[in-house]
mmCIF file of all heavy atoms in Angstrom:
data_model
loop_
_atom_site.group_PDB
_atom_site.id
_atom_site.type_symbol
_atom_site.label_atom_id
_atom_site.label_comp_id
_atom_site.label_asym_id
_atom_site.label_seq_id
_atom_site.Cartn_x
_atom_site.Cartn_y
_atom_site.Cartn_z
ATOM 1 N N ILE A 9 26.928 20.802 -3.182
ATOM 2 C CA ILE A 9 26.828 19.632 -4.047
ATOM 3 C C ILE A 9 28.121 19.441 -4.834
ATOM 4 O O ILE A 9 28.603 18.319 -5.019
ATOM 5 C CB ILE A 9 25.621 19.761 -4.994
ATOM 6 C CG1 ILE A 9 24.318 19.760 -4.195
ATOM 7 C CG2 ILE A 9 25.600 18.617 -6.022
ATOM 8 C CD1 ILE A 9 23.078 19.963 -5.043
ATOM 9 N N LYS A 20 21.308 11.724 0.462
ATOM 10 C CA LYS A 20 19.986 12.070 -0.058
ATOM 11 C C LYS A 20 19.245 10.821 -0.526
ATOM 12 O O LYS A 20 18.055 10.645 -0.228
ATOM 13 C CB LYS A 20 20.147 13.053 -1.223
ATOM 14 C CG LYS A 20 18.825 13.652 -1.714
ATOM 15 C CD LYS A 20 18.211 14.548 -0.653
ATOM 16 C CE LYS A 20 16.965 15.240 -1.190
ATOM 17 N NZ LYS A 20 17.302 16.245 -2.225
ATOM 18 N N LEU A 22 19.830 7.733 0.451
ATOM 19 C CA LEU A 22 19.587 6.900 1.630
ATOM 20 C C LEU A 22 18.358 7.377 2.392
ATOM 21 O O LEU A 22 17.529 6.572 2.825
ATOM 22 C CB LEU A 22 20.816 6.916 2.544
ATOM 23 C CG LEU A 22 20.756 6.016 3.787
ATOM 24 C CD1 LEU A 22 20.626 4.552 3.390
ATOM 25 C CD2 LEU A 22 21.989 6.223 4.664
ATOM 26 N N ALA A 112 10.849 -0.956 -9.150
ATOM 27 C CA ALA A 112 10.342 -0.329 -7.932
ATOM 28 C C ALA A 112 10.756 1.133 -7.808
ATOM 29 O O ALA A 112 9.960 1.985 -7.390
ATOM 30 C CB ALA A 112 10.810 -1.111 -6.701
ATOM 31 N N PRO A 123 11.097 -3.650 -0.965
ATOM 32 C CA PRO A 123 12.090 -4.475 -0.255
ATOM 33 C C PRO A 123 11.532 -5.261 0.934
ATOM 34 O O PRO A 123 11.780 -6.469 1.034
ATOM 35 C CB PRO A 123 13.154 -3.452 0.172
ATOM 36 C CG PRO A 123 13.054 -2.373 -0.854
ATOM 37 C CD PRO A 123 11.593 -2.259 -1.138
ATOM 38 N N VAL A 152 21.161 10.317 -13.474
ATOM 39 C CA VAL A 152 22.475 10.934 -13.678
ATOM 40 C C VAL A 152 22.716 11.171 -15.171
ATOM 41 O O VAL A 152 23.254 12.208 -15.580
ATOM 42 C CB VAL A 152 23.584 10.055 -13.073
ATOM 43 C CG1 VAL A 152 24.962 10.620 -13.418
ATOM 44 C CG2 VAL A 152 23.418 9.959 -11.558
ATOM 45 N N ALA A 160 23.987 21.619 -20.146
ATOM 46 C CA ALA A 160 23.940 23.047 -20.508
ATOM 47 C C ALA A 160 22.648 23.690 -20.033
ATOM 48 O O ALA A 160 22.647 24.786 -19.451
ATOM 49 C CB ALA A 160 24.079 23.196 -22.022
ATOM 50 N N THR A 168 20.061 30.348 -12.437
ATOM 51 C CA THR A 168 18.858 31.100 -12.070
ATOM 52 C C THR A 168 18.540 30.930 -10.597
ATOM 53 O O THR A 168 18.208 31.894 -9.890
ATOM 54 C CB THR A 168 17.658 30.636 -12.920
ATOM 55 O OG1 THR A 168 17.977 30.795 -14.307
ATOM 56 C CG2 THR A 168 16.415 31.443 -12.585
ATOM 57 N N SER A 171 21.050 32.895 -8.523
ATOM 58 C CA SER A 171 20.795 34.337 -8.532
ATOM 59 C C SER A 171 19.545 34.693 -7.739
ATOM 60 O O SER A 171 19.421 35.799 -7.219
ATOM 61 C CB SER A 171 20.650 34.827 -9.983
ATOM 62 O OG SER A 171 19.535 34.196 -10.599
ATOM 63 N N LEU A 184 7.198 21.769 -1.223
ATOM 64 C CA LEU A 184 7.249 20.490 -0.533
ATOM 65 C C LEU A 184 6.176 20.413 0.552
ATOM 66 O O LEU A 184 5.490 19.392 0.698
ATOM 67 C CB LEU A 184 8.638 20.269 0.075
ATOM 68 C CG LEU A 184 8.826 18.994 0.906
ATOM 69 C CD1 LEU A 184 8.589 17.751 0.045
ATOM 70 C CD2 LEU A 184 10.220 18.949 1.523
ATOM 71 N N LEU A 198 -10.610 10.704 2.360
ATOM 72 C CA LEU A 198 -10.975 9.316 2.112
ATOM 73 C C LEU A 198 -11.512 8.657 3.373
ATOM 74 O O LEU A 198 -12.545 7.972 3.345
ATOM 75 C CB LEU A 198 -9.765 8.547 1.594
ATOM 76 C CG LEU A 198 -9.963 7.038 1.426
ATOM 77 C CD1 LEU A 198 -10.974 6.755 0.325
ATOM 78 C CD2 LEU A 198 -8.643 6.330 1.125
ATOM 79 N N ILE A 216 -21.363 -15.154 16.367
ATOM 80 C CA ILE A 216 -21.090 -16.516 15.899
ATOM 81 C C ILE A 216 -21.483 -17.535 16.969
ATOM 82 O O ILE A 216 -22.118 -18.552 16.684
ATOM 83 C CB ILE A 216 -19.605 -16.654 15.525
ATOM 84 C CG1 ILE A 216 -19.264 -15.759 14.321
ATOM 85 C CG2 ILE A 216 -19.265 -18.104 15.205
ATOM 86 C CD1 ILE A 216 -17.783 -15.719 13.979
ATOM 87 N N ALA A 217 -21.106 -17.240 18.219
ATOM 88 C CA ALA A 217 -21.430 -18.163 19.320
ATOM 89 C C ALA A 217 -22.922 -18.248 19.564
ATOM 90 O O ALA A 217 -23.435 -19.296 19.968
ATOM 91 C CB ALA A 217 -20.709 -17.715 20.593
ATOM 92 N N GLY A 218 -23.649 -17.159 19.293
ATOM 93 C CA GLY A 218 -25.093 -17.144 19.525
ATOM 94 C C GLY A 218 -25.903 -17.722 18.393
ATOM 95 O O GLY A 218 -27.141 -17.717 18.458
ATOM 96 N N LEU A 245 -13.315 -15.879 0.738
ATOM 97 C CA LEU A 245 -12.158 -15.149 0.226
ATOM 98 C C LEU A 245 -12.552 -14.394 -1.029
ATOM 99 O O LEU A 245 -13.071 -14.972 -1.985
ATOM 100 C CB LEU A 245 -11.005 -16.113 -0.078
ATOM 101 C CG LEU A 245 -10.564 -17.018 1.071
ATOM 102 C CD1 LEU A 245 -9.367 -17.864 0.631
ATOM 103 C CD2 LEU A 245 -10.225 -16.209 2.316
ATOM 104 N N ASP A 247 -11.812 -10.145 -3.050
ATOM 105 C CA ASP A 247 -11.033 -8.913 -3.024
ATOM 106 C C ASP A 247 -11.940 -7.804 -3.531
ATOM 107 O O ASP A 247 -13.114 -8.046 -3.855
ATOM 108 C CB ASP A 247 -9.746 -9.025 -3.855
ATOM 109 C CG ASP A 247 -9.989 -9.427 -5.294
ATOM 110 O OD1 ASP A 247 -10.997 -8.991 -5.887
ATOM 111 O OD2 ASP A 247 -9.167 -10.180 -5.843
ATOM 112 N N LEU A 248 -11.431 -6.593 -3.602
ATOM 113 C CA LEU A 248 -12.285 -5.470 -3.974
ATOM 114 C C LEU A 248 -12.863 -5.625 -5.372
ATOM 115 O O LEU A 248 -13.950 -5.114 -5.660
ATOM 116 C CB LEU A 248 -11.489 -4.159 -3.880
ATOM 117 C CG LEU A 248 -11.194 -3.660 -2.460
ATOM 118 C CD1 LEU A 248 -10.368 -2.394 -2.498
ATOM 119 C CD2 LEU A 248 -12.491 -3.426 -1.696
ATOM 120 N N GLU A 273 -8.982 -0.023 8.328
ATOM 121 C CA GLU A 273 -9.937 -0.905 7.646
ATOM 122 C C GLU A 273 -10.412 -0.303 6.324
ATOM 123 O O GLU A 273 -11.591 -0.410 5.935
ATOM 124 C CB GLU A 273 -11.165 -1.196 8.530
ATOM 125 C CG GLU A 273 -10.852 -1.798 9.877
ATOM 126 C CD GLU A 273 -10.615 -0.731 10.936
ATOM 127 O OE1 GLU A 273 -11.438 0.172 11.052
ATOM 128 O OE2 GLU A 273 -9.603 -0.813 11.634
ATOM 129 N N LEU A 295 -13.885 -3.873 13.046
ATOM 130 C CA LEU A 295 -13.012 -2.880 13.664
ATOM 131 C C LEU A 295 -11.679 -3.514 14.054
ATOM 132 O O LEU A 295 -11.633 -4.484 14.799
ATOM 133 C CB LEU A 295 -13.685 -2.292 14.912
ATOM 134 C CG LEU A 295 -12.914 -1.198 15.648
ATOM 135 C CD1 LEU A 295 -12.726 0.027 14.756
ATOM 136 C CD2 LEU A 295 -13.636 -0.816 16.942
ATOM 137 N N LEU A 298 -8.222 -8.155 10.880
ATOM 138 C CA LEU A 298 -7.698 -9.476 11.241
ATOM 139 C C LEU A 298 -6.779 -9.421 12.451
ATOM 140 O O LEU A 298 -6.796 -10.331 13.303
ATOM 141 C CB LEU A 298 -6.948 -10.055 10.031
ATOM 142 C CG LEU A 298 -6.337 -11.447 10.188
ATOM 143 C CD1 LEU A 298 -7.403 -12.485 10.500
ATOM 144 C CD2 LEU A 298 -5.586 -11.829 8.920
ATOM 145 N N ALA A 316 1.943 -22.153 -7.028
ATOM 146 C CA ALA A 316 2.524 -21.345 -8.106
ATOM 147 C C ALA A 316 3.614 -20.453 -7.581
ATOM 148 O O ALA A 316 4.651 -20.250 -8.209
ATOM 149 C CB ALA A 316 1.422 -20.514 -8.764
#
Side-chain angles (χ1 to χ4, degrees):
I9 295 177
K20 189 67 175 291
L22 184 62
V152 174
T168 303
S171 62
L184 177 61
L198 174 66
I216 295 174
L245 305 183
D247 56 37
L248 287 178
E273 303 89 50
L295 182 63
L298 181 60

